[in-house]
């Protein structure tokens, strides 16, 4: 479907998969609300996208941020059609090196913020009888390996919540789906690199953010008859099950 006139909210929109997804949705006709902490990047992207797109600087890890974002969007546009929960952070390390100070920030941004935003926007979309929520997960949700238990565990929790929300909203006009990327070259690996750890995108040729954005756009433009529950995208060289 053409997304002309639709309002799409993308979190983590200042770089990587978020910025690429915003571009893909704008190309399909949507007006974007770009959410992240770096206001300067958001403003530049909003100017590039046009269509009345707007920047909204916020730290989604703040428990109040999802409500404030919801109220801003409804106040500005009186509607919300597409929500892409993309903001996330990665800290992965063996137990001897794992920084437990990263645990609560990861829970806040990778899980709690998504639950809060999904719940608030789902209520509004349900009342309107239409809308889409697209949550960015990771193939890490299903990988059992040393060092990735916290990140993968939170993505697994996110997927369980998202699937239950999809089932609850079935028939309401509100669709809920997951995009689960494999190895993609984004700033999420900067934590690893800063600690001298080889980042995952150094082992194989990684995907680029636009590759994942295409999957987001497919879900956003799907037929009224369908509810795409999940698109899992592996890098061509990924050999993970």
């Amino acid at each position: 479907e053409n997304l002309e006139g639709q309002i799409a909210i993308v979190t983590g929109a200042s770089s990587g998969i978020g910025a690429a997804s915003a571009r893909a949705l704008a190309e399909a006709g949507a007006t974007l609300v770009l959410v992240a902490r770096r206001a300067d990047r958001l403003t530049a992207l909003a100017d590039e996208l046009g269509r009345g797109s707007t920047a909204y600087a916020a730290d989604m890890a703040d428990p109040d941020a999802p409500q404030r974002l919801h109220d801003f969007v409804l106040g500005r546009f009186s509607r919300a059609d597409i929500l892409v929960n993309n903001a996330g952070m990665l800290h992965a390390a063996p137990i001897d090196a794992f920084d437990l100070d990263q645990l609560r920030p990861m829970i806040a941004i990778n899980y709690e913020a998504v639950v809060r935003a999904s719940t608030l926007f789902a209520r509004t979309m349900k009342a309107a009888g239409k809308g889409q929520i697209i949550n960015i997960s990771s193939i890490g949700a299903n990988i059992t390996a040393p060092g990735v238990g916290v990140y993968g565990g939170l993505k697994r929790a996110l997927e369980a919540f998202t699937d239950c929300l999809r089932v609850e909203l079935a028939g309401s006009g509100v669709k809920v789906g997951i995009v689960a990327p494999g190895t993609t070259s984004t700033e999420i690996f900067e934590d690893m690199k800063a600690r001298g750890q080889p980042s995952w995108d150094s082992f194989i040729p990684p995907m680029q953010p636009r590759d994942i954005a295409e999957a987001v756009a497919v879900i956003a433009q799907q037929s009224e008859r369908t509810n795409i529950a999940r698109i899992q995208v592996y890098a061509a060289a990924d050999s993970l099950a």
Side-chain angles (χ1 to χ4, degrees):
E1 286 188 8
N2 186 290
L3 302 182
E4 202 72 44
Q6 294 203 26
I7 307 302
I9 304 102
V10 179
T11 71
S14 58
S15 67
I17 292 168
S21 295
R23 287 190 177 97
L25 295 173
E27 284 168 13
T31 294
L32 272 295
V33 178
L34 306 167
V35 186
R37 291 172 296 184
R38 296 178 287 193
D40 54 337
R41 287 197 182 198
L42 296 179
T43 303
L45 182 56
D47 289 346
E48 174 196 325
L49 299 181
R51 300 183 171 276
S53 296
T54 187
Y56 183 84
D59 182 353
M60 291 300 286
D62 177 343
D64 298 327
Q67 182 75 65
R68 288 200 301 266
L69 169 63
H70 172 273
D71 296 348
F72 169 80
V73 173
L74 270 291
R76 170 70 66 94
F77 297 104
S78 304
R79 59 186 294 178
D81 301 293
I82 300 163
L83 171 65
V84 181
N85 283 305
N86 164 75
M89 64 177 286
L90 170 66
H91 176 66
I95 54 167
D96 296 330
F98 192 90
D99 180 3
L100 284 169
D101 288 341
Q102 300 293 318
L103 177 58
R104 292 186 78 174
M106 282 178 74
I107 293 170
I109 195 68
N110 291 357
Y111 184 73
E112 184 178 348
V114 180
V115 172
R116 288 180 181 274
S118 296
T119 300
L120 294 166
F121 280 95
R123 290 171 181 165
T124 295
M125 290 174 178
K126 184 180 176 187
K130 72 183 292 287
Q132 295 204 82
I133 296 170
I134 303 168
N135 290 338
I136 307 300
S137 182
S138 166
I139 63 169
N142 299 300
I143 292 171
T144 303
V148 297
V150 173
Y151 180 76
L154 288 168
K155 289 299 191 182
R156 193 176 297 188
L158 163 67
E159 292 196 358
F161 167 77
T162 304
D163 284 336
C164 289
L165 186 64
R166 172 176 50 81
V167 171
E168 180 174 344
L169 292 171
S172 70
V174 185
K175 302 176 182 187
V176 182
I178 292 165
V179 173
T183 308
T184 309
S185 185
T186 74
E187 292 180 11
I188 204 165
F189 294 122
E190 286 186 354
D191 173 70
M192 284 182 164
K193 292 171 181 172
R195 289 180 292 111
Q197 219 177 315
S199 69
W200 298 338
D201 60 344
S202 65
F203 296 116
I204 62 166
M207 290 182 287
Q208 295 303 312
R210 64 179 175 274
D211 299 324
I212 309 307
E214 287 174 8
V216 171
V218 164
I219 295 182
Q221 298 174 88
Q222 68 182 301
S223 159
E224 282 190 12
R225 297 179 300 280
T226 63
N227 191 354
I228 299 174
R230 178 187 185 89
I231 297 181
Q232 193 147 335
V233 190
Y234 290 89
D238 260 326
S239 57
L240 298 160

